[in-house]
Amino acid sequence: MSKKTLAIIKPDAVKKNYTGQIITNISEAGFKIKAMKMVKLTTNSAEGFYEVHRERGFFRDLIEYMTSGPCIPIALEKENAVDEFRKLIGATDPAKAEKGTIRKLFAVNIQENAIHGSDSDDNAEKEISHFFSRNELLENYNG
Ligand code: ATP
Ligand code: MG
């Protein structure tokens, strides 16, 4: 089981100034921040990141939303990181998310759902590389 996952604090949550509370929540759950930055995604970059959803009806809206303002990708580390983080963020639709989860606390609806979490070890690896260079990661993962 890999120890890595990628989180993104999404544009709706950044806009509403939830960044600090969300990072506190993540830290208190035992995740270590290994790399972090604030970026405004280009359409190209957002389409690449969500390529698997290209054929879905919500794809164009998703890309518009993800490029609507800055977001904060964060490379995280913890034992069993992918599953543990998905538990912490809750269901995609905040109406269905468990009490106390990040989406229950901070998400607006199924699209503007405050935070992303990788769904497998393979995708975690790919998604971390989408945002962070080898050098940025080497320095922080070894430190
Ligand atoms: P993420 O990949 O962002 O962590 P997820 O794995 O819970 O979310 P996915 O099915 O991968 O959910 O969908 C990716 C994103 O697309 C969702 O987080 C949400 O922002 C948007 N999305 C998913 N389903 C819908 C929908 N039915 N209507 C509108 N937007 C949606
Ligand atoms: Mg997903």
Side-chain angles (χ1 to χ4, degrees):
M1 208 61 72
S2 168
K3 291 183 176 182
K4 295 178 200 172
T5 195
L6 181 88
I8 306 175
I9 304 177
K10 294 185 178 180
D12 58 308
V14 173
K15 232 171 254 164
K16 282 190 250 157
N17 234 354
Y18 290 149
T19 301
Q21 289 176 78
I22 290 175
I23 290 174
T24 298
N25 209 307
I26 292 170
S27 301
E28 285 178 349
F31 290 87
K32 277 203 171 141
I33 294 173
K34 306 304 281 189
M36 177 163 79
K37 59 175 75 162
M38 185 182 260
V39 290
K40 189 160 183 296
L41 289 178
T42 61
T43 299
N44 210 26
S45 179
E47 287 181 354
F49 188 82
Y50 279 120
E51 185 60 39
V52 292
H53 294 311
R54 191 174 280 278
E55 302 308 323
R56 308 286 289 275
F58 59 79
F59 185 71
R60 291 292 10 136
D61 283 349
L62 173 61
I63 299 308
E64 210 164 289
Y65 156 56
M66 288 302 293
T67 57
S68 67
C71 66
I72 303 177
I74 312 173
L76 294 170
E77 191 175 85
K78 191 187 179 182
E79 285 303 328
N80 201 8
V82 165
D83 288 352
E84 289 288 304
F85 196 69
R86 299 281 298 191
K87 259 186 251 157
L88 180 70
I89 69 179
T92 310
D93 182 354
K96 295 181 184 150
E98 272 186 52
K99 204 169 164 239
T101 57
I102 292 177
R103 282 170 170 163
K104 190 61 160 191
L105 290 167
F106 301 108
V108 180
N109 55 41
I110 193 169
Q111 177 180 273
E112 296 185 29
N113 60 2
I115 192 147
H116 163 83
S118 308
D119 62 8
S120 67
D121 289 348
D122 274 0
N123 284 337
E125 200 71 48
K126 284 183 203 146
E127 291 176 1
I128 289 171
S129 311
H130 187 93
F131 288 106
F132 300 102
S133 71
R134 211 177 131 67
N135 265 349
E136 284 172 312
L137 292 169
L138 278 178
E139 285 164 12
N140 297 337
Y141 271 101
N142 294 337

